[in-house]
Amino acid sequence: MGASNYIFSRDEFLDLIVYELYPRSFLDSNGDGIGDLNGIFEKLDYLQELGVNAVWLCPIYKSPNKDNGYDVADYREIAKEFGSFADFKRLRDGLHARGMKLIMDLVFNHTSSEHTWFQQAKTDRNNPYHDYYIWADTPPNDWKSCFGGSAWEYNEATKEYYLHSFAIEQPDLNWENPSVRKECQKIVDFWVQQGVDGFRCDVLDFISKDFKTGKMYAGPRLHEYIHELFGRRETEKLFTVGECQSSDKEMLLIAGKERKELSTVFQFDHINLIGLNKYLPHAFTLEEVKNVLVKWQNFTQENDLIYTLFTDNHDQPYFLSKTGYGDDYRYECATMLATMFYLLRGIPFLYQGQEYGAVNPVYSSIEDFRDVEAMRYYNEHKNTESSKQIVSALNQGGRDNARRPIAWTKNKANAHGFSQETPWIPLHSCAEEINLERDKNAEKSVWEFYRKLLALRKSSTVIRRGSFCDLTENRQGCFLYERALGEKKVIVICNFENRQTLLLPNALQQNTFRLILTNHADTLPFSKDFRPFEIAVYESL
Ligand code: TEU
Ligand code: CA
């Protein structure tokens, strides 16, 4: 009951095409303005039609929602606003019935301050749960919370400070305490027994702190902890992806085949191209994105690692907007990016909204924002900056960008098909212009392209399992690569913003290849003329 209908193995991880779903903003089935599990259930056929075969649900556990579920108050309970445990099981079975995997979010670096562990811990230094968290008589360092301000918060009852790497209401768990590690193992076991196929592990590299060097993450016991958490299971059968800022050395340790730690990690080098201040306009080029991809394709291939292919997630403004081409070349750039990333070697992760070419919304009032990080930003800047400046910074870099309700229909009624009621967060400011219904009916439909692209990936063993080779050589403003398996080859050509004549790769012979995918209706096979963001994918006969 509830289990997947086929055995999972490491090779099969490469067959995954994951859809990251932000439940709160996906579809509201009961008219309270909040997306929910039954809303997701209604859209399972939609997801299948799109061509994904796994869903990663952002946290759906009981939570006071200081950080929209990343502050867990009970790891074994479903948040009331998302539905009941029975709704969860129905969703799980609905996914499995369609051959789709269910990936849950695990937030183990911290709990909510409303979790019973913390409620107990904060009362008394001698409470058995006190040591579940990280305490100090005086702050031992000047660590800053990722959301701003000191990472140490005073607790009157014990006259101590506790560590919170994120919001004040997200106290960090003390992983040095074996009881904490045991509790987390039991939570993993609980969800595996519930038929869950995998986990996305939130800020996993934060679980071991390096108090000596003063680094908040990737401390000396990180690998020991991860191994203990997952290594006791058949790690080839449980899919795990860690959110970790990883160097090449780290990736070998954390996702190496024999390591029995994680299946893979999200590597953020291409996301980090935006620079240190995400609130400033970004100035990276697609060439730089390409270079990051080539580097990691080669590295993961040489070391038999699994790479994750993603541009977007719930913490990031839409990548399409970051490139700067979201306005003039929305369809072309969205489809080019999808091709560039999702035909590479690794596991594609799509984030909701990408499939109809969503870009960042634009607001003019702080009232339109909800995120804890945005509120913090506002409070820290309100005395020195105008609200216009603050709002424009949030429009640029805020996390609410990608958390607006999905615009299902072109009609404004019922919040563009999202809810009968006022949504928990204002609608996407461009919903009338950019929505699924309009995109589906457009001559140039991002959704149609995604469907074709994912179907191609699904049907091609070369793309899923084959090797990668960069064919760009000294061509500029483009990315050319080859995927190969045995005699079979797929050649991908992605042109960037400038129209240009491209020298086709030698391997691409007219009598042995055929054009299988383009993002323009009239692309001529073997044409050297590439329009802005035009792509061409060829397959050997
Ligand atoms: O995010 C971790 C993280 O370090 C950042 O992406 C951060 O959220 C922010 O963008 C810094 O500017 C994970 C989750 O994805 C995020 O939603 C949570 O808020 C956070 O952990 C805490 O659980
Ligand atoms: Ca609801």
Side-chain angles (χ1 to χ4, degrees):
M1 233 296 289
S4 298
N5 43 18
Y6 61 91
I7 307 258
F8 224 2
S9 73
R10 192 177 154 98
D11 274 350
E12 277 166 334
F13 293 158
L14 289 171
D15 296 343
L16 288 171
I17 301 176
V18 186
Y19 188 90
E20 185 198 349
L21 200 148
Y22 202 67
R24 188 162 292 269
S25 301
F26 193 66
L27 183 65
D28 171 23
S29 72
N30 63 348
D32 62 356
I34 302 173
D36 46 54
L37 299 185
N38 287 337
I40 302 170
F41 185 81
E42 281 178 36
K43 291 292 178 187
L44 289 180
D45 288 339
Y46 166 78
L47 294 173
Q48 198 173 28
E49 210 185 328
L50 175 61
V52 300
N53 57 22
V55 167
W56 149 26
L57 294 180
C58 287
I60 56 169
Y61 315 104
K62 183 177 170 188
S63 164
N65 291 312
K66 286 287 171 210
D67 187 16
N68 287 355
Y70 283 94
D71 47 330
V72 179
D74 189 329
Y75 290 97
R76 292 177 179 80
E77 252 190 67
I78 304 293
K80 278 210 182 63
E81 71 268 29
F82 288 157
S84 64
F85 213 92
D87 297 333
F88 164 77
K89 289 183 173 170
R90 192 165 75 113
L91 177 59
R92 171 201 67 193
D93 293 346
L95 284 163
H96 288 164
R98 289 167 180 79
M100 293 161 92
K101 301 290 184 188
L102 173 56
I103 298 166
M104 297 279 273
D105 216 309
L106 279 184
V107 191
F108 279 166
N109 174 66
H110 43 266
T111 68
S112 159
S113 52
E114 290 187 20
H115 195 291
T116 50
W117 299 341
F118 191 73
Q119 289 293 311
Q120 297 262 333
K122 70 175 190 183
T123 57
D124 186 339
R125 290 190 185 208
N126 294 317
N127 186 285
Y129 288 101
H130 184 263
D131 198 32
Y132 271 42
Y133 296 87
I134 301 170
W135 301 95
D137 290 335
T138 48
N141 52 41
D142 60 356
W143 285 354
K144 299 271 172 292
S145 144
C146 295
F147 296 152
S150 168
W152 296 97
E153 181 72 10
Y154 188 62
N155 177 50
E156 184 56 49
T158 58
K159 306 223 172 333
E160 290 165 297
Y161 291 81
Y162 66 86
L163 180 69
H164 61 91
S165 302
F166 294 88
I168 292 169
E169 299 86 352
Q170 289 168 301
D172 282 36
L173 282 165
N174 175 19
W175 274 70
E176 291 190 11
N177 179 349
S179 308
V180 166
R181 306 204 298 272
K182 194 88 214 149
E183 297 271 13
C184 290
Q185 288 179 27
K186 286 195 298 191
I187 293 163
V188 166
D189 292 347
F190 173 83
W191 287 105
V192 169
Q193 272 154 27
Q194 293 302 324
V196 160
D197 307 290
F199 298 104
R200 176 266 185 188
C201 309
D202 191 62
V203 287
L204 198 61
D205 50 351
F206 275 64
I207 61 176
S208 173
K209 280 56 170 158
D210 200 339
F211 283 99
K212 274 213 196 92
T213 67
K215 232 173 64 186
M216 261 172 119
Y217 60 95
R221 298 184 70 184
L222 179 64
H223 299 288
E224 173 197 337
Y225 294 160
I226 298 176
H227 182 81
E228 192 184 51
L229 184 61
F230 292 120
R232 66 211 161 81
R233 314 198 129 269
E234 291 183 83
T235 38
E236 321 72 51
K237 291 190 182 161
L238 183 70
F239 176 71
T240 48
V241 49
E243 189 201 20
C244 315
Q245 294 284 351
S246 45
S247 63
D248 41 10
K249 257 206 252 122
E250 271 300 313
M251 205 198 275
L252 282 173
L253 294 177
I254 212 162
K257 197 172 176 175
E258 313 300 338
R259 297 276 306 168
K260 287 186 139 301
E261 291 190 21
L262 300 178
S263 316
T264 180
V265 292
F266 292 119
Q267 213 297 324
F268 283 94
D269 279 357
H270 58 300
I271 300 294
N272 294 339
L273 289 173
I274 62 173
L276 288 179
N277 188 348
K278 67 178 185 170
Y279 299 107
L280 296 175
H282 318 309
F284 64 87
T285 63
L286 290 167
E287 205 89 27
E288 289 173 278
V289 176
K290 181 210 81 183
N291 291 340
V292 168
L293 290 175
V294 170
K295 174 193 159 184
W296 286 101
Q297 284 291 291
N298 287 334
F299 180 76
T300 51
Q301 168 159 283
E302 278 155 25
N303 294 286
D304 198 7
L305 298 165
I306 298 175
Y307 186 61
T308 51
L309 309 165
F310 72 99
T311 50
D312 291 86
N313 69 32
H314 66 285
D315 292 332
Q316 296 294 329
Y318 283 110
F319 200 78
L320 186 51
S321 291
K322 290 184 196 165
T323 63
Y325 303 110
D327 294 338
D328 295 342
Y329 288 104
R330 196 170 60 84
Y331 165 85
E332 287 78 6
C333 190
T335 52
M336 191 284 289
L337 285 172
T339 309
M340 172 165 163
F341 277 78
Y342 297 143
L343 296 184
L344 289 171
R345 183 177 171 278
I347 303 175
F349 281 78
L350 286 64
Y351 180 70
Q352 65 186 39
Q354 259 180 263
E355 74 268 35
Y356 60 85
V359 294
N360 290 344
V362 180
Y363 299 93
S364 52
S365 160
I366 187 69
E367 306 288 315
D368 292 325
F369 295 85
R370 295 287 177 276
D371 181 23
V372 59
E373 186 186 68
M375 295 308 123
R376 184 93 212 200
Y377 185 89
Y378 175 75
N379 286 325
E380 277 177 7
H381 292 81
K382 66 180 179 201
N383 296 327
T384 50
E385 282 175 30
S386 69
S387 38
K388 202 172 160 192
Q389 280 171 314
I390 296 174
V391 165
S392 109
L394 294 176
N395 281 335
Q396 179 71 42
R399 304 195 303 177
D400 282 331
N401 271 309
R403 299 179 180 184
R404 303 290 164 175
I406 290 292
W408 295 98
T409 58
K410 56 181 186 217
N411 207 321
K412 210 173 170 197
N414 296 336
H416 289 278
F418 169 73
S419 175
Q420 315 271 29
E421 255 309 313
T422 310
W424 67 277
I425 188 171
L427 288 177
H428 195 293
S429 65
C430 317
E432 256 167 290
E433 196 195 321
I434 303 172
N435 55 64
L436 180 72
E437 187 180 0
R438 221 176 128 159
D439 179 76
K440 270 186 165 177
N441 294 321
E443 215 169 285
K444 297 192 288 185
S445 162
V446 179
W447 196 83
E448 263 316 318
F449 182 86
Y450 261 84
R451 229 159 68 94
K452 277 192 223 153
L453 181 79
L454 300 183
L456 170 62
R457 187 174 175 103
K458 206 172 214 169
S459 69
S460 167
T461 329
V462 183
I463 295 171
R464 284 180 285 109
R465 307 282 177 91
S467 60
F468 163 86
C469 179
D470 180 24
L471 299 181
T472 315
E473 296 178 333
N474 42 29
R475 295 173 187 83
Q476 301 292 309
C478 59
F479 185 14
L480 280 68
Y481 61 85
E482 177 186 274
R483 306 293 314 279
L485 189 69
E487 300 286 284
K488 286 265 166 203
K489 282 183 176 162
V490 168
I491 291 178
V492 179
I493 304 175
C494 296
N495 187 39
F496 298 162
E497 66 268 38
N498 295 323
R499 183 173 191 149
Q500 62 173 326
T501 305
L502 279 177
L503 183 68
L504 298 180
N506 287 336
L508 189 62
Q509 296 295 327
Q510 297 221 14
N511 50 350
T512 49
F513 278 86
R514 69 189 178 101
L515 180 66
I516 52 170
L517 185 72
T518 79
N519 56 356
H520 285 69
D522 54 354
T523 300
L524 293 173
F526 303 98
S527 163
K528 297 186 175 92
D529 175 32
F530 281 83
R531 289 162 281 187
F533 305 105
E534 185 162 6
I535 65 108
V537 180
Y538 293 89
E539 181 184 59
S540 62
L541 297 171

